[in-house]
Amino acid sequence: MDKETLIEVHNRIKPFIHKTPVLSSGLINEMVSADIVFKCENFQKMGAFKMRGAANAILSLSEEERERGVVTHSSGNFAQAVSLAAQKLNVKAYIVMPENAPQVKKNGVRTYHGEIIECESTPEARETTAKKIKELKGASFLHPSNQDEVIYGNSTAAIELLEEFPNLDVILTPIGGGGLIAGTALAAHYFSKNCRVIGGEPMEADDAYRSLISGKIETNNSFHTVADGLRTHLGDRNFPIIQKYVEKIIRVEESEIVDAMRIIWERMKIIIEPSCAVPFAAVLKNKEEFKNKKVGIILSGGNVDVKNLPF
Amino acid sequence: MDKETLIEVHNRIKPFIHKTPVLSSGLINEMVSADIVFKCENFQKMGAFKMRGAANAILSLSEEERERGVVTHSSGNFAQAVSLAAQKLNVKAYIVMPENAPQVKKNGVRTYHGEIIECESTPEARETTAKKIKELKGASFLHPSNQDEVIYGNSTAAIELLEEFPNLDVILTPIGGGGLIAGTALAAHYFSKNCRVIGGEPMEADDAYRSLISGKIETNNSFHTVADGLRTHLGDRNFPIIQKYVEKIIRVEESEIVDAMRIIWERMKIIIEPSCAVPFAAVLKNKEEFKNKKVGIILSGGNVDVKNLPF
């Protein structure tokens, strides 16, 4: 891995992604006495940064592999991202989803012509079903967060942010499966002088926080967090990058996540998922630490059921 | 009134407003088979186009008048706009509000240091109280929609839109008090070749539609519309402009407004008020009419109580 690889990745996926806008709010800056710039991946194609990693993963396949299709198990944004990226590249996408997945998520995949394969609602059933598709169709398995191509693709959000704001002191991202923060950490390492990278994580799913302390990948017994995108754990591809390049992880309470989300909705008039309110909640919680700093926050996505909000 | 006047107005208010972004959505364009560009006044300072008119109205006052302050009666966006514009120009703002106005609206005014004067919740009480302040303090009265300076200020949203997209076939705005559509109509007349202007109005508050037919200002007996910004009627300053330059008004049902609002929220990930979903609802309703056209829609504001949504 080097800087050139990430530049190649960025150039490769550019035709398939939006260069998302970077927004700021005077009122929010006053509130925290810092300069915060928000990289709006909620405006990304299909509504989340996942499009970057999915596009790069499919573009990295050989012609032959592409002909056999791709498969993933995800009920969230990565399912839609793989479906859309595959559609654009004329590749068949098989999406393994639990049979009880919300209709809105199934519809999202169908919008982009992904083929849904239903399975029981257990992690084992998802993995077995995906493996079966892989064998049956010869499809390439794509992992939402623990795959190099996906991590490199994700890094391009922070690369764009640093191109526009080269003097950031710190970038914060949410931390769920670890794919976004690992990509962001690589971007900061190769594309900035001294920009630090900090993760935001719900107290209710603080596996990454505990993993950094114990030095091995920890999991959660339960996921009672509104940040539905963060109910996953790290993997062996992204954990070493996180260990090496991420300064620390700040944990926040559920009420802090909801408050942060509401402030961004009300002040910035943009729709963000609960997951991506987590880093801003971390800044609000630790104001002193970020005072007078130039802070970048990656707003990871905007796919939220507007009929079922946490406030 | 001529083109030069509007150019002067625009230059005068530029330091006090945002040049708001223009957004579009591939999925929405597919949905209506047209090219729609949305002028995002929901991202304007204080969250609505009203900032433009309020800024111009205060900037048009003499030094002496400014020293005595300004007064308006509004419980909506214009109250916040006057408060903020006055604060920036170091002018005292008296805002007459009904005592039962929602706390969130009072807080909005207080954020910008407007002084709230409470009165009974009747149109008469609001006017009498504002008149009293005018006499007592010598403050200049600013009208939310029926004042030339406000109308000219409002025109600058469409001027910016036409600068960026000179070939629009038509611009749609919501129609409430008439100040936005009148300004937009002036902008289209002076700054485009043949761009038509069409209003969108709730069936439940269709006074402007009826006014255009009868040739005199009509009012509503009731306002059972979710589009809370449009529960007002036209005035003698804007009605002649609307009669002269607005092609027609399309009326939409309440359910059509809510659906249009939800589509913009879900597809564009931006927060808009119910009022500014009305023109998009009109396009969705009359798809054939707008097919293959270049359509501009002014999203008038984004101040909505996210704890109390219509869906």
Side-chain angles (χ1 to χ4, degrees):
Chain A
M1 238 305 293
D2 54 13
K3 186 171 175 172
E4 284 311 309
T5 307
L6 295 186
I7 292 173
E8 271 169 39
V9 166
H10 198 194
N11 288 332
R12 183 189 303 148
I13 67 171
K14 269 180 188 168
F16 303 96
I17 59 165
H18 288 313
K19 182 177 174 184
T20 52
V22 178
L23 300 182
S24 60
S25 156
L27 278 168
I28 285 179
N29 285 345
E30 269 177 43
M31 195 180 285
V32 294
S33 304
D35 276 336
I36 306 188
V37 289
F38 294 93
K39 175 71 171 167
C40 291
E41 289 294 295
N42 53 331
F43 294 151
Q44 187 51 267
K45 282 181 199 279
M46 57 58 59
F49 76 94
K50 299 269 182 186
M51 185 63 188
R52 297 175 183 268
N56 188 49
I58 299 179
L59 285 162
S60 304
L61 297 174
S62 70
E63 271 307 314
E64 210 192 328
E65 287 168 322
R66 288 194 210 178
E67 268 169 34
R68 294 198 298 266
V70 292
V71 57
T72 190
H73 54 68
S74 155
S75 55
N77 284 327
F78 194 66
Q80 290 190 48
V82 169
S83 303
L84 178 56
Q87 184 190 27
K88 284 180 177 292
L89 288 159
N90 218 4
V91 169
K92 179 88 189 166
Y94 304 96
I95 313 292
V96 176
M97 287 180 116
E99 52 200 0
N100 61 356
Q103 201 55 44
V104 59
K105 302 213 162 174
K106 293 185 184 170
N107 290 344
V109 167
R110 288 200 189 100
T111 302
Y112 305 121
H113 301 161
E115 184 176 329
I116 295 172
I117 292 103
E118 293 193 349
C119 70
E120 273 181 77
S121 178
T122 65
E124 297 73 36
R126 286 164 65 163
E127 277 183 32
T128 320
T129 313
K131 204 172 274 178
K132 219 182 284 172
I133 300 288
K134 194 174 134 102
E135 284 161 16
L136 212 67
K137 309 280 186 182
S140 299
F141 179 73
L142 306 183
H143 194 283
S145 55
N146 196 42
Q147 182 178 336
D148 291 353
E149 293 77 15
V150 170
I151 295 168
Y152 300 165
N154 294 345
S155 76
T156 59
I159 291 174
E160 290 174 12
L161 179 59
L162 285 164
E163 273 170 5
E164 214 168 320
F165 295 89
N167 297 320
L168 291 179
D169 296 306
V170 56
I171 299 180
L172 291 100
T173 81
I175 182 159
L180 176 61
I181 199 160
T184 303
L186 291 176
H189 177 69
Y190 288 111
F191 292 81
S192 82
K193 268 197 194 127
N194 282 308
C195 181
R196 299 174 291 134
V197 173
I198 293 177
E201 194 173 38
M203 199 74 85
E204 294 291 332
D206 67 346
D207 53 288
Y209 174 86
R210 287 182 284 108
S211 301
L212 276 191
I213 292 173
S214 72
K216 62 184 178 53
I217 296 172
E218 304 286 347
T219 56
N220 300 293
N221 291 324
S222 64
F223 301 102
H224 298 301
T225 176
V226 67
D228 54 317
L230 310 183
R231 295 174 192 155
T232 43
H233 49 78
L234 305 178
D236 61 343
R237 298 307 305 165
N238 56 49
F239 185 45
I241 302 173
I242 294 168
Q243 281 184 302
K244 194 163 174 189
Y245 297 122
V246 172
E247 183 178 296
K248 66 170 173 178
I249 292 170
I250 297 172
R251 295 178 300 169
V252 293
E253 304 286 354
E254 291 301 296
S255 63
E256 293 168 331
I257 299 172
V258 175
D259 286 348
M261 178 173 167
R262 196 164 51 77
I263 290 171
I264 290 178
W265 279 49
E266 290 184 342
R267 293 302 177 189
M268 301 187 64
K269 315 294 181 194
I270 60 176
I271 290 176
I272 61 162
E273 301 176 7
S275 303
C276 54
V278 171
F280 179 52
V283 173
L284 282 172
K285 187 173 194 163
N286 292 19
K287 275 185 200 169
E288 270 310 309
E289 178 176 350
F290 296 100
K291 197 171 173 178
N292 299 326
K293 293 278 188 293
K294 293 188 206 316
V295 180
I297 290 181
I298 299 188
L299 294 177
S300 44
N303 290 332
V304 55
D305 182 356
V306 299
K307 290 184 181 176
N308 185 17
L309 297 172
F311 39 70
Chain B
M1 239 306 291
D2 54 13
K3 187 172 176 173
E4 284 312 308
T5 306
L6 296 185
I7 293 173
E8 271 169 39
V9 166
H10 198 193
N11 288 332
R12 184 190 301 148
I13 67 172
K14 270 180 187 168
F16 303 96
I17 59 165
H18 288 313
K19 184 176 174 185
T20 53
V22 178
L23 300 182
S24 60
S25 157
L27 277 169
I28 285 179
N29 284 346
E30 269 175 44
M31 192 180 287
V32 295
S33 303
D35 275 336
I36 307 188
V37 289
F38 294 92
K39 175 71 171 168
C40 290
E41 288 295 295
N42 53 330
F43 294 151
Q44 187 52 265
K45 281 180 199 281
M46 53 64 54
F49 76 95
K50 299 270 182 185
M51 187 62 188
R52 297 175 183 268
N56 189 48
I58 299 179
L59 285 161
S60 303
L61 298 174
S62 69
E63 271 307 315
E64 212 193 326
E65 287 168 323
R66 288 195 210 176
E67 269 168 33
R68 293 199 297 265
V70 293
V71 57
T72 191
H73 55 68
S74 156
S75 54
N77 284 327
F78 195 67
Q80 290 190 50
V82 167
S83 302
L84 178 56
Q87 184 191 25
K88 285 182 174 290
L89 288 159
N90 218 4
V91 169
K92 178 87 191 167
Y94 304 96
I95 313 292
V96 176
M97 287 182 116
E99 53 200 0
N100 61 357
Q103 201 56 44
V104 59
K105 303 214 162 177
K106 291 184 185 171
N107 290 346
V109 166
R110 288 201 189 99
T111 302
Y112 304 121
H113 301 161
E115 184 177 328
I116 295 172
I117 291 102
E118 293 193 347
C119 70
E120 274 183 77
S121 178
T122 65
E124 297 73 35
R126 286 164 65 161
E127 278 184 31
T128 320
T129 312
K131 202 171 276 178
K132 220 183 282 173
I133 300 287
K134 192 173 136 105
E135 282 161 16
L136 211 67
K137 309 281 186 182
S140 298
F141 179 73
L142 305 183
H143 194 284
S145 56
N146 195 42
Q147 182 178 336
D148 290 355
E149 293 78 17
V150 171
I151 295 167
Y152 299 165
N154 293 346
S155 76
T156 59
I159 291 174
E160 289 174 12
L161 179 58
L162 286 164
E163 273 171 5
E164 214 168 319
F165 296 89
N167 297 320
L168 292 179
D169 296 307
V170 56
I171 299 180
L172 291 99
T173 80
I175 182 159
L180 176 61
I181 197 161
T184 303
L186 291 176
H189 177 68
Y190 288 112
F191 292 81
S192 82
K193 268 197 194 127
N194 282 308
C195 180
R196 297 174 292 132
V197 173
I198 292 177
E201 195 173 36
M203 201 71 90
E204 294 290 332
D206 67 345
D207 52 288
Y209 175 85
R210 289 182 284 108
S211 301
L212 275 190
I213 291 173
S214 72
K216 63 184 176 54
I217 296 171
E218 303 287 346
T219 56
N220 300 294
N221 291 324
S222 63
F223 300 102
H224 297 301
T225 177
V226 68
D228 56 318
L230 310 183
R231 294 173 191 154
T232 44
H233 49 76
L234 306 178
D236 60 343
R237 298 307 304 165
N238 57 49
F239 185 45
I241 302 172
I242 294 169
Q243 281 183 300
K244 195 165 174 187
Y245 296 121
V246 173
E247 183 178 294
K248 66 172 173 178
I249 292 169
I250 298 173
R251 295 177 301 170
V252 291
E253 304 287 354
E254 291 302 296
S255 63
E256 293 169 330
I257 299 171
V258 175
D259 286 348
M261 179 174 167
R262 197 165 50 79
I263 291 170
I264 291 179
W265 278 50
E266 289 183 344
R267 293 302 176 188
M268 302 187 64
K269 314 295 180 194
I270 61 175
I271 290 176
I272 62 163
E273 302 176 7
S275 303
C276 55
V278 171
F280 179 53
V283 173
L284 282 173
K285 186 172 195 164
N286 293 19
K287 275 185 200 168
E288 270 310 309
E289 179 176 349
F290 296 99
K291 197 169 173 180
N292 299 326
K293 293 277 188 296
K294 293 187 205 320
V295 179
I297 289 181
I298 299 188
L299 294 176
S300 44
N303 290 331
V304 55
D305 182 357
V306 299
K307 290 184 182 177
N308 184 18
L309 297 172
F311 38 72

